[in-house]
Amino acid sequence: MTDTPSWDAADLARRLAENAEAVCRHYLSAGRRHGNYWLVGDVHNTPGRSLYVRLHSGLDGRGRAGKWTDGATGEHGDLLDIIRESLGLVDFRDVADEARRFLCLPQPQPRPASDRGRSDAFGHDASPQASGTANAARRLWAMSRSITGTQAEAWLRQRDLTCLTDLASLRFHPDCYYRADADSPTETWPALIAAVTDFEGHVTGVHRTWLARDGRGKAPVAIPRRAMGDLLGHAVRFGTVSDVLAAGEGIETALSIREVMPDLPLAACLSSAHLAAMTFPPTLRRLYVLRDDDPAGDHAVATLLARTQEAGIECLVLSPRLADFNDDLRYLGRGAMRAILHPQLAPQDVAQFLQSVAH
């Protein structure tokens, strides 16, 4: 019988510890060596000296190589945790695949169907449908940075979206992990990362749009958009809601409205189902629904009309001339968009949100 390595977590952690300095130089590149330790700010590779990783085990057997402690937070772990946190990974399988790649070890054979859906080493269901907790979403958000000068900014500008300042809900990750399904290889692509938040601004999930490396389109993958975390009732938000809100499905749809009404609070709910099930802010008095011209969009509109009527909220539907408002923006222009929106808005909102930016 062939002697096949198990490649379990303990074995990977041991192999990484044998190469602790190389691991730190690769995944914690913002740090530096000081004696028998690698010093860095935190597990997300922030410059600093709070976190220290032991590079070699002590001669007396105490102090194992690869173990780390963050003096500021008290967090501790091994080098598998460093890989997971520094890259914002979710499932142990992704962490293990990355560790094997770094160590030049063979990847395992695809799991049999009977194994799919079982919990991974972190306690998550290993199926792609169940991967992506709110905590994992927050880790990925913390790992991301400003979109300025990135492929994410190039992608948005290609969609004729130019009002890109004060977009606190959008960030960029240069090497966001992607896997088409549980048995496909892991890839990395640049990605636009959008924060899904509750009314208090707490991140409950993220939405990822994987991008081509030059930013001129989406990445050539099977499913270039995915959300993870706690999404129901939450949204990607632009602006602070008072008594008026416009809500739609897509991020680009909401940003297109922002081009001509920059002061109107907006929410992108990410799908027609989540739009239909959106939670109404307690101060909301008038809801604009940004309708997509398709059957799913029509269903969301009908559901929200009924729900807002029960809640005593005025509901007005904003319909694009083309398939969606980003198409209107790109192919018809801002002037045409203002003309399309003007008769669909409440008169007081024309004065407050539309006319003030008309030119």
Side-chain angles (χ1 to χ4, degrees):
M1 177 174 151
T2 303
D3 183 16
T4 303
S6 63
W7 308 132
D8 61 11
D11 187 37
L12 288 172
R14 176 184 59 79
R15 290 169 180 267
L16 291 169
E18 292 171 353
N19 299 275
E21 184 171 348
V23 173
C24 291
R25 290 190 181 279
H26 185 77
Y27 296 102
L28 299 176
S29 57
R32 64 183 181 86
R33 179 170 182 169
H34 184 80
N36 191 33
Y37 294 92
W38 189 267
L39 305 181
V40 71
D42 57 32
V43 289
H44 304 301
N45 198 27
T46 303
R49 298 167 59 89
S50 173
L51 184 146
Y52 49 97
V53 185
R54 191 176 185 98
L55 301 180
H56 300 284
S57 299
L59 295 177
D60 58 2
R62 293 182 295 179
R64 292 169 54 195
K67 293 296 182 179
W68 59 270
T69 301
D70 189 327
T73 65
E75 293 178 300
H76 57 89
D78 61 18
L79 293 174
L80 285 170
D81 297 314
I82 292 291
I83 291 176
R84 180 187 65 188
E85 298 294 335
S86 66
L87 297 179
L89 300 179
V90 177
D91 294 331
F92 178 75
R93 187 178 180 191
D94 289 332
V95 178
D97 285 351
E98 175 62 19
R100 294 185 196 101
R101 185 199 64 76
F102 179 84
L103 294 166
C104 298
L105 297 175
Q107 297 292 343
Q109 295 298 315
R111 293 170 299 157
S114 60
D115 286 345
R116 297 170 197 164
R118 295 181 182 177
S119 295
D120 64 19
F122 293 148
H124 303 310
D125 187 294
S127 66
Q129 292 83 359
S131 67
T133 64
N135 284 336
R138 284 188 280 269
R139 288 196 299 270
L140 178 57
W141 179 248
M143 286 284 299
S144 304
R145 57 183 174 88
S146 167
I147 67 171
T148 303
T150 68
Q151 292 97 322
E153 181 181 24
W155 157 253
L156 294 172
R157 291 191 182 279
Q158 187 187 29
R159 310 290 295 184
D160 282 355
L161 300 168
T162 60
C163 296
L164 302 181
T165 57
D166 300 322
L167 290 178
S169 56
L170 298 183
R171 290 184 183 176
F172 170 74
H173 195 295
D175 296 297
C176 188
Y177 273 64
Y178 174 85
R179 173 181 283 161
D181 55 51
D183 296 319
S184 298
T186 300
E187 308 172 39
T188 59
W189 293 91
L192 173 67
I193 310 295
V196 178
T197 60
D198 59 19
F199 294 136
E200 286 71 44
H202 301 133
V203 175
T204 66
V206 294
H207 181 271
R208 297 153 293 174
T209 303
W210 283 276
L211 303 172
R213 305 203 190 280
D214 61 3
R216 297 181 179 179
K218 294 190 287 289
V221 297
I223 307 172
R225 298 180 190 266
R226 279 180 179 165
M228 61 188 288
D230 183 6
L231 309 179
L232 188 62
H234 308 311
V236 180
R237 305 182 192 277
F238 305 99
T240 302
V241 178
S242 54
D243 59 341
V244 180
L245 172 68
E249 296 180 35
I251 294 167
E252 288 87 355
T253 292
L255 291 177
S256 297
I257 295 294
R258 189 173 183 265
E259 290 287 314
V260 296
M261 292 192 288
D263 296 326
L264 177 64
L266 294 153
C269 298
L270 304 178
S271 73
S272 59
H274 284 100
L275 175 60
M278 68 174 290
T279 302
F280 302 138
T283 59
L284 188 63
R285 297 293 176 267
R286 182 161 49 257
L287 175 68
Y288 289 104
V289 183
L290 308 179
R291 174 179 164 268
D292 282 0
D293 190 13
D294 56 36
D298 292 340
H299 175 74
V301 167
T303 301
L304 284 173
L305 286 170
R307 291 184 58 215
T308 50
Q309 184 176 13
E310 292 178 1
I313 297 170
E314 182 183 11
C315 185
L316 299 175
V317 179
L318 301 182
S319 297
R321 186 168 296 171
L322 302 177
D324 57 44
F325 281 108
N326 190 242
D327 280 354
D328 282 8
L329 175 68
R330 296 169 65 199
Y331 300 116
L332 304 179
R334 287 160 179 76
M337 274 193 68
R338 292 189 184 95
I340 292 166
L341 291 167
H342 188 289
Q344 302 185 68
L345 297 170
Q348 59 269 43
D349 292 334
V350 171
Q352 182 176 356
F353 298 116
L354 188 63
Q355 289 185 343
S356 62
V357 296
H359 58 267

PDB file of all heavy atoms in Angstrom, residues 68-98:
ATOM      1  N   TRP A  68       2.995  32.509  17.725  1.00  0.00           N
ATOM      2  CA  TRP A  68       3.011  33.969  17.750  1.00  0.00           C
ATOM      3  C   TRP A  68       2.035  34.490  18.795  1.00  0.00           C
ATOM      4  O   TRP A  68       1.065  33.812  19.160  1.00  0.00           O
ATOM      5  CB  TRP A  68       2.658  34.556  16.379  1.00  0.00           C
ATOM      6  CG  TRP A  68       1.297  34.146  15.864  1.00  0.00           C
ATOM      7  CD1 TRP A  68       1.022  33.059  15.104  1.00  0.00           C
ATOM      8  CD2 TRP A  68       0.045  34.810  16.089  1.00  0.00           C
ATOM      9  NE1 TRP A  68      -0.330  32.988  14.836  1.00  0.00           N
ATOM     10  CE2 TRP A  68      -0.955  34.061  15.430  1.00  0.00           C
ATOM     11  CE3 TRP A  68      -0.330  35.954  16.783  1.00  0.00           C
ATOM     12  CZ2 TRP A  68      -2.297  34.432  15.435  1.00  0.00           C
ATOM     13  CZ3 TRP A  68      -1.670  36.330  16.793  1.00  0.00           C
ATOM     14  CH2 TRP A  68      -2.636  35.569  16.125  1.00  0.00           C
ATOM     15  N   THR A  69       2.315  35.699  19.251  1.00  0.00           N
ATOM     16  CA  THR A  69       1.440  36.395  20.192  1.00  0.00           C
ATOM     17  C   THR A  69       1.387  37.861  19.802  1.00  0.00           C
ATOM     18  O   THR A  69       2.405  38.444  19.416  1.00  0.00           O
ATOM     19  CB  THR A  69       1.971  36.277  21.634  1.00  0.00           C
ATOM     20  OG1 THR A  69       2.051  34.895  22.002  1.00  0.00           O
ATOM     21  CG2 THR A  69       1.065  37.009  22.617  1.00  0.00           C
ATOM     22  N   ASP A  70       0.199  38.430  19.855  1.00  0.00           N
ATOM     23  CA  ASP A  70       0.032  39.865  19.652  1.00  0.00           C
ATOM     24  C   ASP A  70      -0.052  40.512  21.024  1.00  0.00           C
ATOM     25  O   ASP A  70      -1.030  40.330  21.757  1.00  0.00           O
ATOM     26  CB  ASP A  70      -1.234  40.149  18.833  1.00  0.00           C
ATOM     27  CG  ASP A  70      -1.332  41.604  18.398  1.00  0.00           C
ATOM     28  OD1 ASP A  70      -0.871  42.475  19.154  1.00  0.00           O
ATOM     29  OD2 ASP A  70      -1.876  41.871  17.315  1.00  0.00           O
ATOM     30  N   GLY A  71       0.979  41.271  21.395  1.00  0.00           N
ATOM     31  CA  GLY A  71       1.022  41.879  22.717  1.00  0.00           C
ATOM     32  C   GLY A  71      -0.068  42.895  22.955  1.00  0.00           C
ATOM     33  O   GLY A  71      -0.447  43.150  24.102  1.00  0.00           O
ATOM     34  N   ALA A  72      -0.620  43.484  21.878  1.00  0.00           N
ATOM     35  CA  ALA A  72      -1.652  44.510  22.042  1.00  0.00           C
ATOM     36  C   ALA A  72      -3.019  43.903  22.306  1.00  0.00           C
ATOM     37  O   ALA A  72      -3.822  44.466  23.051  1.00  0.00           O
ATOM     38  CB  ALA A  72      -1.714  45.406  20.813  1.00  0.00           C
ATOM     39  N   THR A  73      -3.305  42.759  21.684  1.00  0.00           N
ATOM     40  CA  THR A  73      -4.646  42.180  21.787  1.00  0.00           C
ATOM     41  C   THR A  73      -4.689  40.901  22.610  1.00  0.00           C
ATOM     42  O   THR A  73      -5.770  40.459  23.000  1.00  0.00           O
ATOM     43  CB  THR A  73      -5.200  41.868  20.387  1.00  0.00           C
ATOM     44  OG1 THR A  73      -4.393  40.837  19.788  1.00  0.00           O
ATOM     45  CG2 THR A  73      -5.184  43.115  19.506  1.00  0.00           C
ATOM     46  N   GLY A  74      -3.528  40.268  22.812  1.00  0.00           N
ATOM     47  CA  GLY A  74      -3.500  38.978  23.500  1.00  0.00           C
ATOM     48  C   GLY A  74      -3.790  37.807  22.585  1.00  0.00           C
ATOM     49  O   GLY A  74      -3.780  36.656  23.029  1.00  0.00           O
ATOM     50  N   GLU A  75      -4.075  38.060  21.302  1.00  0.00           N
ATOM     51  CA  GLU A  75      -4.311  36.973  20.356  1.00  0.00           C
ATOM     52  C   GLU A  75      -3.029  36.161  20.179  1.00  0.00           C
ATOM     53  O   GLU A  75      -1.918  36.697  20.280  1.00  0.00           O
ATOM     54  CB  GLU A  75      -4.766  37.527  19.013  1.00  0.00           C
ATOM     55  CG  GLU A  75      -6.136  38.181  19.035  1.00  0.00           C
ATOM     56  CD  GLU A  75      -6.489  38.742  17.667  1.00  0.00           C
ATOM     57  OE1 GLU A  75      -5.751  39.607  17.186  1.00  0.00           O
ATOM     58  OE2 GLU A  75      -7.502  38.307  17.095  1.00  0.00           O
ATOM     59  N   HIS A  76      -3.186  34.876  19.873  1.00  0.00           N
ATOM     60  CA  HIS A  76      -2.033  34.019  19.650  1.00  0.00           C
ATOM     61  C   HIS A  76      -2.445  32.886  18.723  1.00  0.00           C
ATOM     62  O   HIS A  76      -3.639  32.618  18.514  1.00  0.00           O
ATOM     63  CB  HIS A  76      -1.490  33.471  20.970  1.00  0.00           C
ATOM     64  CG  HIS A  76      -2.518  32.715  21.771  1.00  0.00           C
ATOM     65  ND1 HIS A  76      -2.726  31.366  21.616  1.00  0.00           N
ATOM     66  CD2 HIS A  76      -3.405  33.137  22.706  1.00  0.00           C
ATOM     67  CE1 HIS A  76      -3.689  30.973  22.433  1.00  0.00           C
ATOM     68  NE2 HIS A  76      -4.130  32.026  23.114  1.00  0.00           N
ATOM     69  N   GLY A  77      -1.461  32.204  18.174  1.00  0.00           N
ATOM     70  CA  GLY A  77      -1.772  31.102  17.281  1.00  0.00           C
ATOM     71  C   GLY A  77      -0.518  30.559  16.629  1.00  0.00           C
ATOM     72  O   GLY A  77       0.590  30.768  17.107  1.00  0.00           O
ATOM     73  N   ASP A  78      -0.721  29.850  15.484  1.00  0.00           N
ATOM     74  CA  ASP A  78       0.407  29.296  14.755  1.00  0.00           C
ATOM     75  C   ASP A  78       0.452  29.900  13.358  1.00  0.00           C
ATOM     76  O   ASP A  78      -0.296  30.831  13.036  1.00  0.00           O
ATOM     77  CB  ASP A  78       0.345  27.768  14.716  1.00  0.00           C
ATOM     78  CG  ASP A  78      -0.910  27.240  14.023  1.00  0.00           C
ATOM     79  OD1 ASP A  78      -1.561  27.996  13.280  1.00  0.00           O
ATOM     80  OD2 ASP A  78      -1.243  26.053  14.221  1.00  0.00           O
ATOM     81  N   LEU A  79       1.320  29.356  12.505  1.00  0.00           N
ATOM     82  CA  LEU A  79       1.508  29.957  11.180  1.00  0.00           C
ATOM     83  C   LEU A  79       0.346  29.684  10.240  1.00  0.00           C
ATOM     84  O   LEU A  79       0.151  30.426   9.278  1.00  0.00           O
ATOM     85  CB  LEU A  79       2.834  29.456  10.587  1.00  0.00           C
ATOM     86  CG  LEU A  79       4.075  29.958  11.339  1.00  0.00           C
ATOM     87  CD1 LEU A  79       5.332  29.307  10.785  1.00  0.00           C
ATOM     88  CD2 LEU A  79       4.186  31.477  11.260  1.00  0.00           C
ATOM     89  N   LEU A  80      -0.442  28.663  10.480  1.00  0.00           N
ATOM     90  CA  LEU A  80      -1.668  28.490   9.704  1.00  0.00           C
ATOM     91  C   LEU A  80      -2.623  29.660   9.961  1.00  0.00           C
ATOM     92  O   LEU A  80      -3.296  30.143   9.041  1.00  0.00           O
ATOM     93  CB  LEU A  80      -2.339  27.166  10.054  1.00  0.00           C
ATOM     94  CG  LEU A  80      -1.693  25.904   9.481  1.00  0.00           C
ATOM     95  CD1 LEU A  80      -2.312  24.672  10.104  1.00  0.00           C
ATOM     96  CD2 LEU A  80      -1.817  25.861   7.961  1.00  0.00           C
ATOM     97  N   ASP A  81      -2.679  30.100  11.215  1.00  0.00           N
ATOM     98  CA  ASP A  81      -3.511  31.259  11.526  1.00  0.00           C
ATOM     99  C   ASP A  81      -2.985  32.519  10.830  1.00  0.00           C
ATOM    100  O   ASP A  81      -3.763  33.371  10.385  1.00  0.00           O
ATOM    101  CB  ASP A  81      -3.550  31.501  13.037  1.00  0.00           C
ATOM    102  CG  ASP A  81      -4.189  30.349  13.789  1.00  0.00           C
ATOM    103  OD1 ASP A  81      -5.247  29.884  13.341  1.00  0.00           O
ATOM    104  OD2 ASP A  81      -3.627  29.912  14.810  1.00  0.00           O
ATOM    105  N   ILE A  82      -1.654  32.653  10.750  1.00  0.00           N
ATOM    106  CA  ILE A  82      -1.065  33.790  10.045  1.00  0.00           C
ATOM    107  C   ILE A  82      -1.502  33.799   8.584  1.00  0.00           C
ATOM    108  O   ILE A  82      -1.899  34.840   8.031  1.00  0.00           O
ATOM    109  CB  ILE A  82       0.479  33.751  10.144  1.00  0.00           C
ATOM    110  CG1 ILE A  82       0.931  34.011  11.584  1.00  0.00           C
ATOM    111  CG2 ILE A  82       1.112  34.742   9.165  1.00  0.00           C
ATOM    112  CD1 ILE A  82       0.687  35.420  12.068  1.00  0.00           C
ATOM    113  N   ILE A  83      -1.454  32.639   7.935  1.00  0.00           N
ATOM    114  CA  ILE A  83      -1.874  32.552   6.529  1.00  0.00           C
ATOM    115  C   ILE A  83      -3.351  32.901   6.401  1.00  0.00           C
ATOM    116  O   ILE A  83      -3.755  33.680   5.525  1.00  0.00           O
ATOM    117  CB  ILE A  83      -1.592  31.144   5.977  1.00  0.00           C
ATOM    118  CG1 ILE A  83      -0.075  30.928   5.867  1.00  0.00           C
ATOM    119  CG2 ILE A  83      -2.262  30.946   4.622  1.00  0.00           C
ATOM    120  CD1 ILE A  83       0.326  29.542   5.426  1.00  0.00           C
ATOM    121  N   ARG A  84      -4.170  32.340   7.271  1.00  0.00           N
ATOM    122  CA  ARG A  84      -5.613  32.596   7.211  1.00  0.00           C
ATOM    123  C   ARG A  84      -5.918  34.076   7.378  1.00  0.00           C
ATOM    124  O   ARG A  84      -6.644  34.672   6.572  1.00  0.00           O
ATOM    125  CB  ARG A  84      -6.330  31.801   8.295  1.00  0.00           C
ATOM    126  CG  ARG A  84      -7.848  32.008   8.302  1.00  0.00           C
ATOM    127  CD  ARG A  84      -8.478  31.337   9.505  1.00  0.00           C
ATOM    128  NE  ARG A  84      -8.030  31.969  10.745  1.00  0.00           N
ATOM    129  CZ  ARG A  84      -8.290  31.495  11.952  1.00  0.00           C
ATOM    130  NH1 ARG A  84      -8.966  30.373  12.090  1.00  0.00           N
ATOM    131  NH2 ARG A  84      -7.871  32.125  13.028  1.00  0.00           N
ATOM    132  N   GLU A  85      -5.369  34.699   8.401  1.00  0.00           N
ATOM    133  CA  GLU A  85      -5.709  36.084   8.707  1.00  0.00           C
ATOM    134  C   GLU A  85      -5.080  37.061   7.727  1.00  0.00           C
ATOM    135  O   GLU A  85      -5.699  38.051   7.330  1.00  0.00           O
ATOM    136  CB  GLU A  85      -5.279  36.431  10.135  1.00  0.00           C
ATOM    137  CG  GLU A  85      -5.976  35.614  11.211  1.00  0.00           C
ATOM    138  CD  GLU A  85      -7.461  35.892  11.285  1.00  0.00           C
ATOM    139  OE1 GLU A  85      -7.880  36.992  10.878  1.00  0.00           O
ATOM    140  OE2 GLU A  85      -8.212  35.011  11.735  1.00  0.00           O
ATOM    141  N   SER A  86      -3.829  36.819   7.324  1.00  0.00           N
ATOM    142  CA  SER A  86      -3.163  37.769   6.437  1.00  0.00           C
ATOM    143  C   SER A  86      -3.792  37.803   5.061  1.00  0.00           C
ATOM    144  O   SER A  86      -3.778  38.835   4.383  1.00  0.00           O
ATOM    145  CB  SER A  86      -1.671  37.434   6.321  1.00  0.00           C
ATOM    146  OG  SER A  86      -1.467  36.190   5.673  1.00  0.00           O
ATOM    147  N   LEU A  87      -4.386  36.681   4.624  1.00  0.00           N
ATOM    148  CA  LEU A  87      -5.018  36.615   3.309  1.00  0.00           C
ATOM    149  C   LEU A  87      -6.538  36.740   3.377  1.00  0.00           C
ATOM    150  O   LEU A  87      -7.188  36.770   2.334  1.00  0.00           O
ATOM    151  CB  LEU A  87      -4.649  35.299   2.611  1.00  0.00           C
ATOM    152  CG  LEU A  87      -3.154  35.106   2.296  1.00  0.00           C
ATOM    153  CD1 LEU A  87      -2.928  33.758   1.634  1.00  0.00           C
ATOM    154  CD2 LEU A  87      -2.641  36.228   1.414  1.00  0.00           C
ATOM    155  N   GLY A  88      -7.116  36.804   4.573  1.00  0.00           N
ATOM    156  CA  GLY A  88      -8.565  36.932   4.694  1.00  0.00           C
ATOM    157  C   GLY A  88      -9.304  35.698   4.226  1.00  0.00           C
ATOM    158  O   GLY A  88     -10.395  35.813   3.657  1.00  0.00           O
ATOM    159  N   LEU A  89      -8.750  34.517   4.457  1.00  0.00           N
ATOM    160  CA  LEU A  89      -9.394  33.284   4.007  1.00  0.00           C
ATOM    161  C   LEU A  89     -10.506  32.875   4.961  1.00  0.00           C
ATOM    162  O   LEU A  89     -10.540  33.291   6.116  1.00  0.00           O
ATOM    163  CB  LEU A  89      -8.362  32.163   3.891  1.00  0.00           C
ATOM    164  CG  LEU A  89      -7.213  32.442   2.908  1.00  0.00           C
ATOM    165  CD1 LEU A  89      -6.236  31.280   2.895  1.00  0.00           C
ATOM    166  CD2 LEU A  89      -7.751  32.692   1.508  1.00  0.00           C
ATOM    167  N   VAL A  90     -11.399  32.023   4.470  1.00  0.00           N
ATOM    168  CA  VAL A  90     -12.573  31.640   5.236  1.00  0.00           C
ATOM    169  C   VAL A  90     -12.467  30.196   5.717  1.00  0.00           C
ATOM    170  O   VAL A  90     -12.487  29.920   6.913  1.00  0.00           O
ATOM    171  CB  VAL A  90     -13.849  31.817   4.386  1.00  0.00           C
ATOM    172  CG1 VAL A  90     -15.077  31.345   5.158  1.00  0.00           C
ATOM    173  CG2 VAL A  90     -14.004  33.266   3.966  1.00  0.00           C
ATOM    174  N   ASP A  91     -12.361  29.263   4.786  1.00  0.00           N
ATOM    175  CA  ASP A  91     -12.378  27.841   5.122  1.00  0.00           C
ATOM    176  C   ASP A  91     -10.971  27.298   5.333  1.00  0.00           C
ATOM    177  O   ASP A  91     -10.007  27.755   4.705  1.00  0.00           O
ATOM    178  CB  ASP A  91     -13.044  27.033   4.001  1.00  0.00           C
ATOM    179  CG  ASP A  91     -14.522  27.365   3.870  1.00  0.00           C
ATOM    180  OD1 ASP A  91     -15.109  27.735   4.890  1.00  0.00           O
ATOM    181  OD2 ASP A  91     -15.048  27.241   2.756  1.00  0.00           O
ATOM    182  N   PHE A  92     -10.858  26.277   6.188  1.00  0.00           N
ATOM    183  CA  PHE A  92      -9.557  25.667   6.411  1.00  0.00           C
ATOM    184  C   PHE A  92      -9.004  25.064   5.126  1.00  0.00           C
ATOM    185  O   PHE A  92      -7.790  25.046   4.912  1.00  0.00           O
ATOM    186  CB  PHE A  92      -9.635  24.586   7.492  1.00  0.00           C
ATOM    187  CG  PHE A  92      -8.309  23.900   7.696  1.00  0.00           C
ATOM    188  CD1 PHE A  92      -7.289  24.537   8.377  1.00  0.00           C
ATOM    189  CD2 PHE A  92      -8.090  22.633   7.175  1.00  0.00           C
ATOM    190  CE1 PHE A  92      -6.054  23.926   8.533  1.00  0.00           C
ATOM    191  CE2 PHE A  92      -6.859  22.015   7.329  1.00  0.00           C
ATOM    192  CZ  PHE A  92      -5.839  22.661   8.019  1.00  0.00           C
ATOM    193  N   ARG A  93      -9.875  24.586   4.259  1.00  0.00           N
ATOM    194  CA  ARG A  93      -9.381  23.990   3.023  1.00  0.00           C
ATOM    195  C   ARG A  93      -8.585  25.006   2.206  1.00  0.00           C
ATOM    196  O   ARG A  93      -7.558  24.685   1.615  1.00  0.00           O
ATOM    197  CB  ARG A  93     -10.544  23.447   2.195  1.00  0.00           C
ATOM    198  CG  ARG A  93     -10.066  22.667   0.974  1.00  0.00           C
ATOM    199  CD  ARG A  93     -11.207  22.094   0.190  1.00  0.00           C
ATOM    200  NE  ARG A  93     -10.699  21.369  -0.970  1.00  0.00           N
ATOM    201  CZ  ARG A  93     -11.446  20.931  -1.951  1.00  0.00           C
ATOM    202  NH1 ARG A  93     -12.734  21.129  -1.916  1.00  0.00           N
ATOM    203  NH2 ARG A  93     -10.923  20.285  -2.979  1.00  0.00           N
ATOM    204  N   ASP A  94      -9.067  26.256   2.167  1.00  0.00           N
ATOM    205  CA  ASP A  94      -8.324  27.298   1.460  1.00  0.00           C
ATOM    206  C   ASP A  94      -6.980  27.564   2.124  1.00  0.00           C
ATOM    207  O   ASP A  94      -5.962  27.763   1.461  1.00  0.00           O
ATOM    208  CB  ASP A  94      -9.138  28.587   1.422  1.00  0.00           C
ATOM    209  CG  ASP A  94     -10.345  28.500   0.509  1.00  0.00           C
ATOM    210  OD1 ASP A  94     -10.312  27.728  -0.454  1.00  0.00           O
ATOM    211  OD2 ASP A  94     -11.324  29.215   0.778  1.00  0.00           O
ATOM    212  N   VAL A  95      -6.974  27.587   3.463  1.00  0.00           N
ATOM    213  CA  VAL A  95      -5.727  27.814   4.198  1.00  0.00           C
ATOM    214  C   VAL A  95      -4.745  26.679   3.917  1.00  0.00           C
ATOM    215  O   VAL A  95      -3.560  26.904   3.659  1.00  0.00           O
ATOM    216  CB  VAL A  95      -6.009  27.929   5.713  1.00  0.00           C
ATOM    217  CG1 VAL A  95      -4.710  28.124   6.488  1.00  0.00           C
ATOM    218  CG2 VAL A  95      -6.960  29.078   5.990  1.00  0.00           C
ATOM    219  N   ALA A  96      -5.249  25.452   3.978  1.00  0.00           N
ATOM    220  CA  ALA A  96      -4.387  24.298   3.741  1.00  0.00           C
ATOM    221  C   ALA A  96      -3.843  24.294   2.312  1.00  0.00           C
ATOM    222  O   ALA A  96      -2.667  23.987   2.082  1.00  0.00           O
ATOM    223  CB  ALA A  96      -5.154  23.012   4.023  1.00  0.00           C
ATOM    224  N   ASP A  97      -4.681  24.628   1.348  1.00  0.00           N
ATOM    225  CA  ASP A  97      -4.221  24.696  -0.042  1.00  0.00           C
ATOM    226  C   ASP A  97      -3.108  25.731  -0.194  1.00  0.00           C
ATOM    227  O   ASP A  97      -2.119  25.500  -0.898  1.00  0.00           O
ATOM    228  CB  ASP A  97      -5.383  25.055  -0.967  1.00  0.00           C
ATOM    229  CG  ASP A  97      -6.337  23.901  -1.197  1.00  0.00           C
ATOM    230  OD1 ASP A  97      -6.010  22.768  -0.782  1.00  0.00           O
ATOM    231  OD2 ASP A  97      -7.416  24.136  -1.772  1.00  0.00           O
ATOM    232  N   GLU A  98      -3.278  26.884   0.454  1.00  0.00           N
ATOM    233  CA  GLU A  98      -2.250  27.921   0.371  1.00  0.00           C
ATOM    234  C   GLU A  98      -0.963  27.463   1.058  1.00  0.00           C
ATOM    235  O   GLU A  98       0.148  27.705   0.545  1.00  0.00           O
ATOM    236  CB  GLU A  98      -2.765  29.210   1.007  1.00  0.00           C
ATOM    237  CG  GLU A  98      -1.745  30.342   1.103  1.00  0.00           C
ATOM    238  CD  GLU A  98      -1.237  30.829  -0.236  1.00  0.00           C
ATOM    239  OE1 GLU A  98      -1.896  30.567  -1.266  1.00  0.00           O
ATOM    240  OE2 GLU A  98      -0.180  31.492  -0.269  1.00  0.00           O
TER     241      GLU A  98
END
